[in-house]
Amino acid sequence: MKPSLTAIKGTKDILPPETKLWQKAEWLCREVFEAYGYQEIRTPIIEPTELFVKGTGETTDIVTKEMYTFVDKGGRSITLRPEYTPSVVRAIIEHRLYLQASPLRFYYFGPMFRHDRPQKGRYRQFHQVDIEVFGETDPAIDAEIIEMADYLLDRLGVKNKKILVNSVGCSNCRPNYVTLLRAKAEEIKERLCKDCQRRLELNPLRLFDCKEPGCQAITQSLPKIIDYLCRDCLTHFENVRQWLDFYGLSYQIEPRLVRGLDYYTRTTFEIISLELGAQNALLGGGRYDHLMKIYGGPDICGLGFALGLERVLSVAQIKPDKEKLIYFVYLGEKAKKKSLQLCRELRRQGFTTLLEYKDRSLKAQLSRANKLAATWTIILGEDELNQGICQLKEMTSGQQKTVPFDQVGTILRTLEKDEKNK
RNA sequence: GUGAGUGUAGCUCAACGGUUAGAGCAUCGGACUGUGGAUCCGAAGGUUGGGGGUUCGAGUCCCCUCACUCACCCCA
């Protein structure tokens, strides 16, 4: 029978041994980001609702129907963050971080909250890894973060991925294009699906997102934004492409790639998995040149991406590092005491050891050690105790040797070293 | 928010509308009293998601509800 108290819909417990994979993935991300000069930043999970209304966009789906918003005891409207970028921008402005030497490079891990209908690769509480760069206008940085993203996914053992790149223009060229697109689309409105007719009204750019084969064929003929970029945007995009070629990355220009957040300008990109279903974007991001200004900060450009950890982990081929466990097997109260003492010493020397308080047979204890995949067991009974020794058993070979108490640590260290040299 | 599919032991799954709902894996114990992995034996583990209905009889059929899954939508 299902217990009456369960995890909230769209959320889930991450249990061992799966947590090992999370740790490993997080550690790999950290290593890669630090190698590229990023520093960790941590901001609160709850933020003023207005932060997202202003930045993410008043008309976006995220803000209009997916936020976890509540009024706190002080009467303030609080929201569990649905994305991360606005928080970083807020923190930068609040602490005047833009006065430091630019560019600023930050990375971040944490849970995000969106009230979507859960499905494969989509949860209400999900985890993102996020990087942001502020104050760098050079198109080389656009390519650099894409290169870093690609490298990170390689390190995480993600195969069958594809880089999609586009430019969505800027406040100079996009409005003209949108007007043109809307006009052209109006002409063929009848042939579009119902959803697309609605998109046409709200956000014509999203027409290209439609999955109906019919619509995809029709929208092929519609004008594409990359053909209508202003000169600056076009130059920027061409530069980004040159740098991507410089890194030897294979990518696909995807004129259909538009982002769901209002603040994007120029470069947008996604890396998708070819092994996933409908929710196949492993990470997505782009440039947001005016976001800082929207919040009343200085006019400093920014860019970054967010990576969905659940999705990445579902295709990542990573294995947790094997830990060497030393399991204590003891017989009798006196042996237990001595074992605990040894156990404590070994832990202080950096070994991973385990002693369990079950008064079970030697056989059962060894069986347990086996189940836990212990590398060694230390066996201590009356006989050993009287002689001041213990049995050190190497579990894969089954070989066992007698070791005086005061030499256990040294001998284990040599054994470890020997194994490394193999 | 819309649609479809699925809910049986901790996990993976059986059981034509008909005895007391079974098996494998996992757990614990024993065979083997101080030596694990293999094998055999045993134990424990269930309000068949919940509620209502049809029926002599419901895990099975019907309705409601909840949860999960997938898709739409949206996005990481």
Side-chain angles (χ1 to χ4, degrees):
Chain A
M1 195 178 91
K2 281 255 164 61
S4 58
L5 275 174
T6 58
I8 288 170
K9 189 188 186 79
T11 70
K12 62 170 187 177
D13 301 312
I14 303 166
L15 309 170
E18 202 197 339
T19 38
K20 277 274 169 230
L21 289 180
W22 282 74
Q23 288 174 355
K24 172 102 184 190
E26 285 167 5
W27 182 81
L28 278 168
C29 289
R30 216 172 267 279
E31 194 179 68
V32 168
F33 297 151
E34 304 253 347
Y36 279 73
Y38 289 77
Q39 291 183 298
E40 185 175 9
I41 183 171
R42 302 191 188 195
T43 65
I45 286 173
I46 50 173
E47 292 277 7
T49 303
E50 200 197 342
L51 182 74
F52 303 108
V53 174
K54 231 175 174 174
T56 312
E58 224 168 338
T59 60
T60 57
D61 278 28
I62 290 179
V63 171
T64 54
K65 45 190 188 196
E66 292 173 8
M67 293 205 302
Y68 280 91
T69 297
F70 62 95
V71 176
D72 77 357
K73 289 181 179 171
R76 290 169 284 253
S77 181
I78 307 286
T79 293
L80 271 62
R81 61 173 180 220
E83 60 144 342
Y84 189 63
T85 306
S87 298
V88 185
V89 174
R90 195 216 78 241
I92 290 173
I93 296 171
E94 188 170 335
H95 305 290
R96 307 259 195 285
L97 298 180
Y98 50 80
L99 294 177
Q100 297 177 7
S102 68
L104 301 163
R105 297 177 180 223
F106 295 122
Y107 73 90
Y108 176 82
F109 292 84
M112 306 290 155
F113 304 85
R114 292 184 201 171
H115 193 102
D116 261 343
R117 187 76 173 256
Q119 72 181 72
K120 189 179 178 67
R122 188 168 76 186
Y123 307 94
R124 289 185 174 174
Q125 174 175 340
F126 61 102
H127 297 80
Q128 286 191 339
V129 177
D130 213 280
I131 67 108
E132 316 274 344
V133 180
F134 286 92
E136 184 60 82
T137 51
D138 194 321
I141 191 69
D142 301 45
E144 188 192 291
I145 66 171
I146 295 171
E147 188 274 331
M148 178 173 77
D150 186 62
Y151 169 61
L152 173 60
L153 291 178
D154 282 343
R155 288 290 303 274
L156 290 165
V158 176
K159 315 272 184 229
N160 297 319
K161 58 184 157 51
K162 196 167 174 183
I163 304 174
L164 307 178
V165 183
N166 192 25
S167 173
V168 294
C170 64
S171 50
N172 280 329
C173 50
R174 188 160 54 197
N176 294 336
Y177 165 74
V178 170
T179 312
L180 176 73
L181 176 64
R182 186 172 270 139
K184 288 282 182 192
E186 282 291 347
E187 292 173 16
I188 53 163
K189 192 174 174 181
E190 256 73 289
R191 291 158 58 203
L192 295 169
C193 72
K194 232 185 240 161
D195 284 326
C196 278
Q197 296 189 5
R198 191 175 50 83
R199 289 192 186 101
L200 182 54
E201 303 299 321
L202 294 170
N203 188 352
L205 282 173
R206 299 219 73 92
L207 283 173
F208 295 112
D209 257 358
C210 189
K211 281 169 188 130
E212 290 279 332
C215 288
Q216 289 203 2
I218 296 166
T219 51
Q220 282 290 348
S221 62
L222 289 172
K224 297 183 173 59
I225 184 141
I226 46 172
D227 298 324
Y228 293 86
L229 295 175
C230 64
R231 232 184 56 199
D232 288 350
C233 284
L234 187 63
T235 311
H236 186 92
F237 190 50
E238 278 171 353
N239 266 304
V240 172
R241 289 176 56 186
Q242 277 170 23
W243 284 113
L244 288 172
D245 294 336
F246 167 82
Y247 287 119
L249 290 173
S250 60
Y251 59 94
Q252 182 180 319
I253 295 177
E254 182 50 80
R256 295 163 175 276
L257 180 67
V258 291
R259 312 247 85 240
L261 310 171
D262 278 357
Y263 49 69
Y264 282 103
T265 55
R266 295 189 171 170
T267 313
T268 58
F269 66 93
E270 248 175 37
I271 299 185
I272 60 168
S273 165
L274 306 175
E275 294 172 12
L276 288 176
Q279 312 299 326
N280 64 355
L282 296 173
L283 62 88
R287 182 170 270 278
Y288 20 88
D289 283 338
H290 310 298
L291 185 56
M292 192 81 73
K293 207 174 179 184
I294 291 171
Y295 286 115
D299 196 4
I300 292 174
C301 66
L303 69 168
F305 66 76
L307 173 151
L309 266 175
E310 282 83 357
R311 283 184 198 176
V312 168
L313 280 169
S314 72
V315 293
Q317 313 248 340
I318 47 173
K319 290 212 174 96
D321 298 323
K322 277 202 185 117
E323 278 174 23
K324 297 206 183 304
L325 173 69
I326 301 160
Y327 190 86
F328 275 87
V329 171
Y330 62 90
L331 291 167
E333 214 31 47
K334 279 184 191 161
K336 174 180 173 182
K337 268 187 189 151
K338 183 65 199 172
S339 295
L340 271 173
Q341 202 178 59
L342 268 176
C343 197
R344 188 185 191 200
E345 278 167 27
L346 288 178
R347 283 170 177 164
R348 272 155 182 66
Q349 290 173 39
F351 293 101
T352 305
T353 71
L354 191 56
L355 184 153
E356 291 175 317
Y357 308 107
K358 283 180 187 163
D359 193 19
R360 300 169 76 187
S361 67
L362 181 64
K363 185 197 204 9
Q365 292 187 63
L366 271 164
S367 172
R368 170 78 176 153
N370 193 56
K371 184 96 335 120
L372 292 169
T375 310
W376 296 288
T377 49
I378 289 177
I379 303 165
L380 238 178
E382 292 286 326
D383 299 348
E384 286 82 4
L385 204 58
N386 293 334
Q387 296 172 52
I389 54 157
C390 59
Q391 308 287 343
L392 176 62
K393 184 173 182 133
E394 208 270 324
M395 291 301 275
T396 46
S397 66
Q399 280 175 7
Q400 184 170 311
K401 60 172 107 182
T402 305
V403 178
F405 291 150
D406 55 1
Q407 284 175 38
V408 175
T410 359
I411 285 177
L412 279 170
R413 255 188 297 282
T414 21
L415 285 174
E416 265 190 345
K417 222 177 266 170
D418 288 353
E419 193 139 317
K420 257 185 205 161
N421 294 336
K422 262 182 204 166

